Structures are given as structure tokens and as C-alpha cells.
Amino acid sequence: MMSQKIITTHHSADRAQLAFYVETLLADARADFDAESRSMTCSQTIAVYTKDNLEQFKDFWGGARSDGSTNAQSVLKALEKHPTPWRCSPAPADLAFAEFERRFPNFSEPIGDMRRAAALASLGAGRPLTLSPMLLDGPPGIGKSRFASELASLLGVPMRSFSMAVSSAAFSLGGLNPQYASGGPGLLVRSVADLGVPDPVIVVDEIDKAQRNGNSDPTSPLLELFEMGTAARFIDEGLMMPLNLSGIRWVCTCNDAEQIDDPLRSRLVHYQIPAPTPEQMRVLASTTYRDVIASGDLSSHFDPDLPEHVRDELVELVPRDLARVIRTALGAAAIDRRSTLRLSDLPSTRKAGRPRIGFC
């Protein structure tokens, strides 16, 4: 009995040491990716606005008396806090794209295109990464929104997301004449003014669900914004001052691209994102488990890797639900003071109403 206890103690110590070692390797790898990506500086800048225009429109809206003009003035003040021109972000290193594809294996096609664009940018010192507006088309829950969020992290820029499912008018995105009481700049220009960067990731979620009617189409400003030439002199109806928004990285998501009008769809690079294969889901489950452990500072309490039999059970889920289910399972293990997950830790509701996502 004593020898068994000693062996168990040694195994626990070895496991804790291994967990520490693995976490250290992962942290070093992420630091290397970041260091290599950020070691390159981008010399290119974008004059999102001109000083002359800013002064002219400050005077113009300063003399107006309406709620709309007040909204326009607040955006001008936000722009003024970020002196023009604005520096573009550098293109990530190729190693970072390889890691990104490992985390999103079913997004290999758009990642491959971005990787090639980054390689092209790297041929000239200080060139930024230029990306065409993209459309991620696929079933719900396969990770499109998370992909967009982590893409912004990869590029080292902020992200803003707009849902077309709840937008019914063009002025939501493109502004409304300040002469109206509820007028002023739209969500896009307000976001860019607050962020102060020329090349954020802007996500247009569920673009296929835009609520169009005879007089209003919330997607109409995008026809200009998705073309680099017209985006470089975009005029928000609620500000009236031309802005260069050509540096924005656009990511649109949809479940049915056929619902998008042809003129808009033709401006997007259309990627059909498949549901992950069972093997890809196993990779995603393991990656998500390590992410949850690392983000919660839990490496000293749980095994560094997900047990294979638990990982295989998670294949049934959609990627969107992985983190939630894993956190619930970790909570169950924590109650029992265990470091290893069991099948019984998984929530019994994980499969309720959730059919498999396209594979057998």
C-alpha cells in the first residue's frame, strides 16, 4: 500500500512537471510568433482625413444647432485626437499563419489566400497586408465569428462587428443627414474615429439576413466601401466629410450566399466554409481545451491535454459550443478535486437539439 502511494505521488509530481513544461513551451511559441510578427514595421500610412477638411467641417458643424450636428462634432473631435496620417499594421509572419491554420483547420482556403498575400507584402520593406473583402459562407456554429475575432488578434488590430440581422436602414452604417434630429455619422465612421487605426477588422455578420425594403437597404453603403477606389473617398451622410477607409479589412459572414444581391456579392471573395471533419473536431477540441486552461490560469489544476475518450465525445458538438462545454466539464472535475476530465463531467444537455454538422 505504501509503495502504491509513493508511485501515485511520483506520478502526480511528474504530471504537474509535465503540465508546467508544456505550458512553458506553448507560451514561448506564442511569444516567438508575436515577436516575429511585430519585428516587422510597416512604413505605409493612410491619411484617413486631411487637416484642411477637418478644420472646414469643424467650422461648418460648429455653426449648426441640432442633435445631428452635435453628433457630427463629437466624431470630428474623436478624429482630431488621432493626428493624420495613421500608420498601417505590419503583415504577420508566415509562422503565425501556420499556427492560425492549425487552430482553424476548416478555414484553410481563406487562410491560404491571406498567407500568400502576406508573403507578397514581405517582399517589400514596410508594405502592409492588403486583403480583399471576404465572405465566409457556412452553417451556423462552425466558428466564423471566432475566426474573425482571432484574425484581428493575428493582424494586431482592433475589431468591430455589425449585425445586418437587426439593421433595417442604410443610415445605421452610412450615417444620416445631421439636419434630422436623430442624424449624425453612422456606426462605421464612429467606430473608426474612436479606434484611430486605418486598417481594423470590420465584421458584417449575417449579411444575408439584411432587412431590405423598397426605400431602404442597410447594405447599400457597402457597395462603395468594398471597392478600394470609392472607399478611399467615402462620404458618410451624417458627417459629409470625405474619409479614406480603403485600409479596412472586411469580413462578412452568412449562412446562404444566394440571399445576397449580386452587385454586393460580386465585390466579395466568396469562401464556402465546410463543417469540420471528425478529425478536425478532435484537433479543435484539444486546442479549445488548452485555450480554456491557459486563459483561466488553470494549468496547475488540470491535465495539460484532454483525454482521448472525452475528446472523441466532443466531436458531436459544433465548434461554437466547445468552450462552453469544456468549462462546464472542468467545473464538474473541480468539484471532485480531480485534474483529469471524465465523460461524466460533460453536461447532459450538450447534444439536445444539436444534430451533427455534416459528417458521419
Side-chain angles (χ1 to χ4, degrees):
M1 182 66 71
M2 179 64 70
S3 60
Q4 182 179 0
K5 183 176 181 180
I6 292 174
I7 291 173
T8 301
T9 302
H10 282 192
H11 283 174
S12 299
D14 289 345
R15 186 164 57 192
Q17 188 175 16
L18 177 61
F20 176 79
Y21 176 69
V22 170
E23 285 301 316
T24 300
L25 286 179
L26 288 173
D28 288 345
R30 293 189 187 103
D32 288 343
F33 292 152
D34 291 341
E36 187 177 352
S37 296
R38 301 296 166 244
S39 64
M40 300 178 293
T41 59
C42 183
S43 59
Q44 182 164 324
T45 59
I46 294 179
V48 174
Y49 66 90
T50 67
K51 295 178 181 179
D52 289 344
N53 279 342
L54 184 68
E55 293 302 323
Q56 176 185 343
F57 281 88
K58 280 170 60 180
D59 291 341
F60 179 77
W61 292 122
R65 294 291 181 268
S66 69
D67 290 341
S69 63
T70 301
N71 294 334
Q73 291 175 58
S74 67
V75 167
L76 293 173
K77 289 179 181 177
L79 287 169
E80 195 171 21
K81 291 179 182 177
H82 307 288
T84 190
W86 298 353
R87 186 174 297 278
C88 298
S89 59
D94 187 66
L95 190 60
F97 278 108
E99 167 66 8
F100 193 48
E101 186 168 0
R102 186 186 69 81
R103 296 176 60 81
F104 293 93
N106 54 321
F107 288 79
S108 59
E109 188 178 359
I111 293 174
D113 283 350
M114 287 187 287
R115 195 171 182 177
R116 286 184 280 272
L120 192 62
S122 69
L123 297 180
R127 289 181 183 172
L129 174 60
T130 301
L131 298 178
S132 299
M134 68 181 75
L135 175 64
L136 306 178
D137 180 8
I142 61 171
K144 298 188 294 290
S145 297
R146 187 184 177 198
F147 171 86
S149 176
E150 295 209 19
L151 172 61
S153 297
L154 172 69
L155 300 177
V157 298
M159 183 198 82
R160 289 292 183 271
S161 180
F162 306 114
S163 175
M164 280 295 161
V166 298
S167 181
S168 60
F171 62 75
S172 297
L173 194 64
L176 179 65
N177 193 312
Q179 292 179 351
Y180 294 98
S182 58
L187 292 172
L188 176 63
V189 166
R190 279 186 275 153
S191 296
V192 170
D194 289 338
L195 295 173
V197 297
D199 51 1
V201 170
I202 301 295
V203 180
V204 183
D205 203 21
E206 298 185 306
I207 194 172
D208 54 328
K209 295 180 176 61
Q211 303 171 30
R212 303 178 186 86
N213 57 53
N215 299 318
S216 182
D217 181 354
T219 66
S220 59
L222 298 175
L223 293 171
E224 294 182 58
L225 290 163
F226 287 169
E227 294 280 1
M228 186 169 290
T230 50
R233 52 183 184 275
F234 178 73
I235 295 179
D236 180 291
E237 292 294 328
L239 188 64
M240 306 303 290
M241 185 176 82
L243 297 173
N244 186 346
L245 303 183
S246 62
I248 291 176
R249 283 77 174 260
W250 293 97
V251 179
C252 302
T253 72
C254 75
N255 302 137
D256 183 5
E258 294 300 320
Q259 300 301 315
I260 304 171
D261 288 344
D262 288 341
L264 188 62
R265 189 170 54 181
S266 67
R267 288 165 164 79
L268 296 161
V269 180
H270 184 188
Y271 297 105
Q272 188 69 49
I273 306 300
T277 65
E279 187 54 40
Q280 288 174 341
M281 277 300 295
R282 292 184 181 93
V283 173
L284 289 171
S286 296
T287 300
T288 303
Y289 173 82
R290 288 192 290 268
D291 287 348
V292 171
I293 294 294
S295 64
D297 195 20
L298 300 172
S299 59
S300 61
H301 302 284
F302 295 100
D303 294 349
D305 293 308
L306 190 63
E308 287 189 13
H309 62 288
V310 177
R311 183 193 62 186
D312 291 344
E313 185 69 16
L314 294 177
V315 166
E316 299 283 347
L317 297 176
V318 292
R320 179 172 58 196
D321 291 341
L322 281 172
R324 174 185 59 82
V325 169
I326 288 172
R327 287 191 190 96
T328 301
L330 290 171
I335 291 175
D336 292 344
R337 300 186 180 280
R338 283 185 283 103
S339 63
T340 302
L341 292 191
R342 299 173 179 171
L343 286 178
S344 58
D345 295 326
L346 299 176
S348 59
T349 57
R350 66 188 181 279
K351 299 179 189 176
R354 299 182 183 275
R356 300 184 75 169
I357 53 176
F359 48 77
C360 301

